[in-house]
Amino acid sequence: MAPKNILLTGSAGFVGSHLTERFLADGHTVIGVDNYISGQPANTALFANHPNFKFIQADVSEGIPYKAAAFDGQTLDFVLHFASPASPPHYQQFPIKTLMVGAQGTQNALELAHAHGATFLLASTSEVYGDPQVHPQPESYWGHVNPNGLRSCYDEAKRYAEAITFAYHRHHGVDTRVIRIFNTYGPRMRPDDGRVVTNLVMQALAGGPLTVYGDGQQTRSFQYVTDLVGGIVALMGLPESEAVHGPVNLGNPDEYTILEFAQVIRELIEPGLEIIHEPLPADDPRQRKPDISRARELLGWAPGVDLRAGLTRTVESFRQQVLQA
Amino acid sequence: MAPKNILLTGSAGFVGSHLTERFLADGHTVIGVDNYISGQPANTALFANHPNFKFIQADVSEGIPYKAAAFDGQTLDFVLHFASPASPPHYQQFPIKTLMVGAQGTQNALELAHAHGATFLLASTSEVYGDPQVHPQPESYWGHVNPNGLRSCYDEAKRYAEAITFAYHRHHGVDTRVIRIFNTYGPRMRPDDGRVVTNLVMQALAGGPLTVYGDGQQTRSFQYVTDLVGGIVALMGLPESEAVHGPVNLGNPDEYTILEFAQVIRELIEPGLEIIHEPLPADDPRQRKPDISRARELLGWAPGVDLRAGLTRTVESFRQQVLQA
């Protein structure tokens, strides 16, 4: 793509920071927006001195201050809405903020895209499939979500975000794109995000035993973050057509057992560490596995980073963070 | 109940007008709010001279003007959120407004209830079950909804409304109640709501043939509106307990074929009218049937008005409307 002006909400989040890195490397201009409710100031600091990076600290649920100096009279080519608490500990700490960034936040970003004639891209999630009764999940699966359970502040917010995105496309003709992100890992995950990779890496770096719940034979599919970024860039690069508006799963269908994660992480950090087993918690994360046929056909995309390579880079990044802290 | 102060959004809608009528008859004070996007000014006019009825014309998605004269310094005991386009022709005409009244509208009403220490009641819908794969539907069924189909502006807005209602209960301790309303009919339905009862009554009153799609053997469950009102009043009357916060189905599980509706309506209006059959449309309304076990147990409630009695009152009301027009 020729250089574009890209507004990215959630720029200081885990995925947002990798998107910013890629966009700047590709010669685009990025206006990042974040309120740091779950994003991290360090992720803004990474790019603070880049000439094509601008930042607005704002809560996109309250409105995007489009008259901010960061805009400087430019027309946006893309508006990407990635802002939201995304891990269970974070969204359950801020359930109402999470609901708001899915509704008002998405709408504010859509209005901005509409005003600029920009292409809008929504970061949706595999959580819209809930506790799926179909494996793997294709985009045509409608999901199995409790509309008022403890996770509904996130799941229903994202389903609403998809619905209003399609409403802006159908009603106002906005060129909208929707990705459904499956489990993703990599450098700059928040150490307190409560996810299995983070927990295991942090335990091993602290020199303690690695905790595996149950027998560890339950499987998970994880994509490395640069694979995700590649899929997003591919979808952004497609010209508008009827096909580009439907949701696209982006995830890695390779399954590994939790025990395999623990073993690779232990090997990378300190092979002598103990792996201990604890009982499965009542709300063990739900298993999902993407059907990525649509991404393969539409984008010619498939994940390319294998688990060992991805974990090696992740562990290295966390090790440096721990050393710096 | 002793006299209460009740704020009711959607007061000029079909169900809102019947609630207003009942509350005023029971000695309560009603502050109605409506923006007439699908409500009708005639439903406000019905109560305009009642000393205990006050009205604010406002879009609850934009905010409820709680400093309006209608409040007069009073503390609200109940906030009931019934505002929303509710029939497919209406919500598909206003998809974004429909999404907003489910998100921002529900949140504004919840904030008001929270500020007043009032009990909040959400009018949710059987549409949260979508195209159900379980019959009849109990409240524990999570539904089968397309998150980005043509109906998602309504279905997902209501699922979001439930999620944020539970978030305010869990996070802020608001005493919240949720009803899921199944197909309801009666006087003061909008003649253009596109529903089967309305269409058949209007056709018969116009002296034309009655249109039945397909062979008419498909069934529907319809409750008469005063039955619904009785269930709502019963739920409002319960003291707070863990049990009252969960959703409660309110509907009539008795099933009739579409042909039976047409035959009863014809008999009530003009027995000589022809019934014609046309092909089923592609998006024929989805069939649902409530499991009302929970309403029976929690409220001691069951619908009491049978189809012939309800249709007689409905036809009479429509006949007077047509005569007045």
Side-chain angles (χ1 to χ4, degrees):
Chain A
M1 287 191 290
K4 303 290 184 187
N5 292 324
I6 302 170
L7 183 131
L8 172 63
T9 76
S11 62
F14 160 49
V15 175
S17 74
H18 286 273
L19 279 171
T20 301
E21 184 177 359
R22 170 70 184 264
F23 292 146
L24 293 174
D26 288 354
H28 305 305
T29 295
V30 176
I31 302 176
V33 186
D34 212 297
N35 64 348
Y36 299 132
I37 192 177
S38 60
Q40 301 182 97
N43 289 338
T44 303
L46 286 174
F47 314 107
N49 296 322
H50 196 291
N52 291 344
F53 180 71
K54 298 158 185 179
F55 182 75
I56 302 171
Q57 185 172 344
D59 181 343
V60 296
S61 302
E62 306 289 340
I64 297 169
Y66 63 94
K67 291 189 176 168
F71 277 78
D72 197 22
Q74 296 179 84
T75 297
L76 297 171
D77 301 299
F78 288 95
V79 174
L80 277 54
H81 184 44
F82 280 68
S84 179
S87 76
H90 293 147
Y91 63 67
Q92 289 179 10
Q93 186 183 357
F94 302 107
I96 294 165
K97 285 279 185 193
T98 301
L99 283 153
M100 289 178 74
V101 80
Q104 288 95 318
T106 304
Q107 186 168 13
N108 288 332
L110 281 161
E111 283 287 333
L112 187 66
H114 186 31
H116 281 253
T119 296
F120 176 84
L121 189 145
L122 172 69
S124 184
T125 168
S126 61
E127 293 276 344
V128 300
Y129 300 121
D131 194 0
Q133 295 172 314
V134 169
H135 293 278
Q137 295 84 47
E139 291 85 350
S140 56
Y141 178 55
W142 289 358
H144 184 224
V145 170
N146 181 346
N148 50 52
L150 279 174
R151 288 168 174 267
S152 65
C153 61
Y154 185 63
D155 303 1
E156 292 297 344
K158 287 292 190 182
R159 291 174 65 96
Y160 180 100
E162 289 200 11
I164 197 166
T165 297
F166 274 78
Y168 270 74
H169 171 60
R170 294 187 182 118
H171 200 69
H172 288 311
V174 178
D175 176 7
T176 59
R177 322 273 168 116
V178 175
I179 56 166
R180 291 178 177 161
I181 303 174
F182 284 68
N183 277 336
T184 306
Y185 73 103
R188 305 203 283 271
M189 287 189 294
R190 277 183 62 149
D192 62 350
D193 70 4
R195 296 178 193 273
V196 60
V197 173
T198 318
N199 286 351
L200 291 170
V201 171
M202 293 302 289
Q203 284 183 319
L205 288 175
L210 286 73
T211 309
V212 166
Y213 295 94
D215 62 6
Q217 292 307 309
Q218 66 274 35
T219 60
R220 291 287 182 278
S221 304
F222 275 88
Q223 72 182 328
Y224 188 67
V225 64
T226 56
D227 281 334
L228 171 63
V229 167
I232 293 167
V233 168
L235 182 58
M236 289 169 69
L238 289 184
E240 189 170 6
S241 71
E242 200 45 54
V244 301
H245 303 304
V248 183
N249 287 340
L250 292 177
N252 192 328
D254 292 345
E255 293 181 287
Y256 296 89
T257 68
I258 296 289
L259 194 59
E260 286 175 298
F261 281 104
Q263 287 165 340
V264 175
I265 288 167
R266 175 172 67 173
E267 188 188 318
L268 290 169
I269 294 177
E270 173 51 63
L273 290 176
E274 190 184 3
I275 291 177
I276 59 171
H277 292 263
E278 289 194 7
L280 272 177
D283 66 337
D284 191 52
R286 300 174 282 197
Q287 185 186 351
R288 295 188 211 88
K289 175 182 170 176
D291 177 333
I292 59 167
S293 311
R294 182 164 144 75
R296 284 185 197 277
E297 285 166 31
L298 186 70
L299 310 174
W301 175 89
V305 179
D306 75 15
L307 187 69
R308 179 168 295 267
L311 282 178
T312 303
R313 293 184 227 168
T314 304
V315 163
E316 193 45 44
S317 146
F318 271 68
R319 198 195 305 269
Q320 287 179 12
Q321 267 185 50
V322 170
L323 286 177
Q324 285 164 9
Chain B
M1 287 191 290
K4 303 290 184 188
N5 291 323
I6 302 170
L7 184 131
L8 171 63
T9 77
S11 62
F14 159 49
V15 175
S17 74
H18 286 274
L19 279 171
T20 302
E21 183 177 0
R22 170 68 185 265
F23 292 147
L24 293 175
D26 287 354
H28 305 306
T29 295
V30 176
I31 302 176
V33 185
D34 212 297
N35 65 347
Y36 298 132
I37 192 178
S38 60
Q40 302 180 97
N43 288 338
T44 303
L46 286 174
F47 314 108
N49 295 321
H50 195 291
N52 290 344
F53 180 71
K54 297 156 185 180
F55 183 75
I56 302 171
Q57 185 172 344
D59 181 344
V60 297
S61 301
E62 306 290 339
I64 297 169
Y66 64 92
K67 290 188 175 167
F71 277 78
D72 196 22
Q74 296 179 86
T75 297
L76 297 171
D77 301 298
F78 288 94
V79 175
L80 277 54
H81 184 43
F82 279 68
S84 179
S87 76
H90 293 147
Y91 64 67
Q92 289 180 9
Q93 186 184 357
F94 303 107
I96 295 166
K97 284 279 185 193
T98 301
L99 283 153
M100 290 178 73
V101 80
Q104 289 93 319
T106 303
Q107 187 168 12
N108 288 334
L110 281 161
E111 283 288 333
L112 188 67
H114 186 31
H116 281 252
T119 296
F120 176 83
L121 189 145
L122 172 69
S124 184
T125 167
S126 60
E127 293 276 343
V128 302
Y129 300 121
D131 194 0
Q133 295 172 315
V134 168
H135 293 277
Q137 295 84 47
E139 291 85 352
S140 56
Y141 177 55
W142 289 358
H144 183 225
V145 170
N146 181 345
N148 50 52
L150 279 174
R151 289 168 174 268
S152 65
C153 61
Y154 185 64
D155 303 1
E156 292 296 346
K158 288 292 190 181
R159 291 173 66 96
Y160 180 101
E162 288 199 11
I164 197 166
T165 298
F166 274 78
Y168 269 75
H169 171 60
R170 293 187 181 118
H171 201 68
H172 289 311
V174 178
D175 175 7
T176 59
R177 322 274 167 114
V178 175
I179 56 165
R180 291 179 177 161
I181 303 174
F182 284 68
N183 278 336
T184 306
Y185 73 104
R188 307 203 282 269
M189 288 189 292
R190 276 183 61 149
D192 62 349
D193 70 3
R195 295 178 193 273
V196 60
V197 172
T198 319
N199 286 351
L200 291 170
V201 171
M202 293 302 289
Q203 285 184 317
L205 287 175
L210 286 73
T211 308
V212 166
Y213 295 95
D215 62 5
Q217 293 306 310
Q218 67 273 37
T219 58
R220 293 287 182 277
S221 304
F222 275 88
Q223 72 183 329
Y224 188 68
V225 64
T226 55
D227 281 335
L228 170 63
V229 167
I232 294 166
V233 169
L235 182 58
M236 291 169 68
L238 290 184
E240 188 169 7
S241 71
E242 201 45 54
V244 301
H245 302 304
V248 183
N249 287 340
L250 292 177
N252 192 328
D254 292 345
E255 293 181 286
Y256 297 89
T257 68
I258 297 289
L259 195 59
E260 287 176 297
F261 281 103
Q263 287 164 339
V264 174
I265 288 167
R266 176 171 65 172
E267 188 189 318
L268 289 169
I269 294 178
E270 172 51 64
L273 290 176
E274 191 185 1
I275 291 177
I276 60 172
H277 293 263
E278 289 192 7
L280 273 178
D283 67 336
D284 190 53
R286 299 174 284 198
Q287 185 186 350
R288 296 188 209 88
K289 176 183 169 177
D291 177 334
I292 60 168
S293 311
R294 182 163 145 75
R296 284 185 198 277
E297 285 166 31
L298 186 70
L299 310 174
W301 175 89
V305 178
D306 73 16
L307 187 69
R308 178 167 296 265
L311 283 178
T312 302
R313 291 183 228 169
T314 303
V315 164
E316 192 46 43
S317 146
F318 271 67
R319 198 195 303 270
Q320 289 178 11
Q321 268 185 49
V322 170
L323 286 178
Q324 284 164 8

